[in-house]
Amino acid sequence: MSGPYRELLAVPGARLFVAAGFVGRMSMAMVGIGIVLLVSAVTGSYGIAGGVAATLSLSYAVGSPLSARYADRYGQHRVLVPVVLANAVSFTVLILFAELGLPVWTLFPAAAMAGLTQVSLGAWVRARWSHVLRETPARLHAAFSFESVVDESIFVAGPLIVTALATAVHPAAGLGTAASFTLVGCLLLAGQRGTEPPPRPRPPGARARGVLGNPAMLVMIPVFLLLGVVFAAIDVSGVAFAEEEGHKAMAGVLLGCYALGSGVAALWYGARHWRTPLDRRFRVGLLLVAVAMVPPVLVGDLYLMMVVVFFSGLAISPTIIPGYGLVERLVPEHQLTEGLALVSTSVGVGLAGGSSVAGYVVDAHGAQAAFLVPMAAALAAAAVGLAGTKIMRSGGS
């Protein structure tokens, strides 16, 4: 299994941009929690903290695809350096405003600026893989599988780091560290010019339309958004379930089992050479995700739930990976980073919505009922994916 990944990391420059991408992406699992821990500590209100975090998420959904579009057009280095410097300043301002006790309303524009300047670095790294493997595109699924493993490891480690820093060191320490990870990782990535995809201006005569003008993306975006709802709702439901079972401290272990299942599946998926068409793998994956969301609704024991969510997690990566592969094939080369960033951002929007909906269901009906939220979202994602079969097939192979 390790062979394909050894070959990937032997590609000149790959280890450096993988390491930079890992550092820079740590913040994606830290920023939201870091804001909640800081703002709730200084204001005493989780409602305000949640509002500030939501402001950052929504502005990120707007800014991330735009920065990716300019990266496609002008090159990653020229865009990434000024954007990440502005991001560092924005987070510094947000932390200072909170620590100085300025009026609560000032936190919202500061969070908005931080979100607007936050890049979807995973999309930028995947675009580099597409560039360095352009002569051997068959290896791209292994690269995207590897990146999925990186994402899963970040979502396991990030919340632990930010929570420990904010509770044991200082309320601002978690968010400050997350912003520092972004700054260092992005600057390191920007400095690696040898693996940077060349700028791809819009072809002469091409219509001035963004990725949203591509009909296939109108299928992929809602699917990824609904998958984001699945991920967030599983997290919220899992934490509430562990608390109801009298073992809240085991919530991290429960969610870790889910991430572990996805990571194991990503390693397995990337090590195989697939003959099944890409679009069919994606649709089958969506169906498997929907089926895998049924058992958690039926389980009432914490330790059995750990086993169940591990197997539920096995369906995630074999769906996400061909999904990114489809985007890589469905969008024009000069819009690749923008397309990848847009689906990543859609997941982020789904995460915000899924957390809210699942939290409401927990409060109203309990944790067991909340597992119906990811099941419903997974079924909806499968339905949208199947409805868009013809469109995706036109780009899948």
Side-chain angles (χ1 to χ4, degrees):
M1 182 179 290
S2 63
Y5 303 109
R6 284 200 304 267
E7 294 174 4
L8 284 177
L9 295 177
V11 173
R15 294 188 182 189
L16 292 175
F17 75 72
V18 164
F22 176 80
V23 173
R25 278 146 69 190
M26 280 297 297
S27 62
M28 71 182 183
M30 299 172 65
V31 165
I33 301 173
I35 287 177
V36 169
L37 292 170
L38 171 60
V39 176
S40 63
V42 299
T43 66
S45 170
Y46 278 96
I48 294 173
V52 175
T55 299
L56 184 140
S57 296
L58 292 174
S59 58
Y60 166 72
V62 174
S64 174
L66 289 176
S67 60
R69 177 185 299 183
Y70 290 122
D72 282 329
R73 190 173 301 176
Y74 302 111
Q76 291 190 0
H77 177 268
R78 290 181 62 186
V79 176
L80 193 54
V81 172
V83 168
V84 75
L85 292 177
N87 182 255
V89 172
S90 300
F91 272 113
T92 301
V93 170
L94 175 59
I95 292 171
L96 286 175
F97 282 6
E99 287 294 314
L100 294 174
L102 296 187
V104 168
W105 69 265
T106 62
L107 301 179
F108 290 90
M113 286 304 302
L116 285 171
T117 54
Q118 191 89 353
V119 299
S120 179
L121 203 61
W124 299 52
V125 172
R126 286 176 172 88
R128 290 203 176 216
W129 278 120
S130 295
H131 172 61
V132 299
L133 298 178
R134 61 193 181 279
E135 302 296 332
T136 54
R139 299 168 62 190
L140 197 57
H141 84 280
F144 285 178
S145 300
F146 179 80
E147 292 302 320
S148 289
V149 175
V150 173
D151 286 341
E152 295 297 345
S153 65
I154 287 170
F155 276 103
V156 170
L160 298 176
I161 295 171
V162 69
T163 303
L165 289 171
T167 55
V169 180
H170 188 278
L175 186 59
T177 301
S180 299
F181 278 141
T182 298
L183 178 64
V184 172
C186 288
L187 290 179
L188 288 174
L189 185 68
Q192 297 170 40
R193 308 297 295 275
T195 55
E196 179 182 0
R200 296 184 175 93
R202 190 171 67 246
R207 288 188 296 171
R209 67 176 189 178
V211 169
L212 288 176
N214 187 325
M217 292 301 292
L218 299 181
V219 175
M220 301 300 291
I221 288 171
V223 168
F224 271 83
L225 188 149
L226 288 164
L227 289 174
V229 173
V230 172
F231 306 152
I234 279 286
D235 285 353
V236 173
S237 304
V239 171
F241 182 83
E243 185 173 7
E244 287 185 4
E245 291 292 301
H247 298 283
K248 187 176 182 180
M250 298 296 289
V253 178
L254 176 62
L255 301 182
C257 289
Y258 186 66
L260 179 62
S262 181
V264 169
L267 289 171
W268 169 81
Y269 181 91
R272 287 178 56 88
H273 295 284
W274 295 90
R275 296 182 180 179
T276 308
L278 192 60
D279 64 293
R280 186 182 303 168
R281 276 180 265 155
F282 183 58
R283 293 195 304 276
V284 170
L286 290 173
L287 291 172
L288 288 176
V289 170
V291 171
M293 289 298 109
V294 175
V297 177
L298 308 175
V299 173
D301 176 78
L302 178 62
Y303 296 99
L304 179 58
M305 183 68 81
M306 291 180 183
V307 177
V308 166
V309 298
F310 171 82
F311 284 99
S312 296
L314 291 174
I316 298 301
S317 287
T319 306
I320 292 291
I321 296 163
Y324 278 117
L326 268 177
V327 173
E328 193 268 340
R329 296 191 183 187
L330 289 168
V331 302
E333 190 177 38
H334 67 279
Q335 294 179 323
L336 178 57
T337 310
E338 181 186 356
L340 293 170
L342 198 54
V343 293
S344 296
T345 317
S346 300
V347 173
V349 174
L351 290 172
S355 297
S356 300
V357 174
Y360 173 81
V361 176
V362 168
D363 291 339
H365 304 287
Q368 197 77 55
F371 281 108
L372 291 169
V373 176
M375 186 180 76
L379 287 169
V384 174
L386 291 173
T389 294
K390 289 184 179 179
I391 297 175
M392 289 191 294
R393 185 173 292 162
S394 66
S397 62

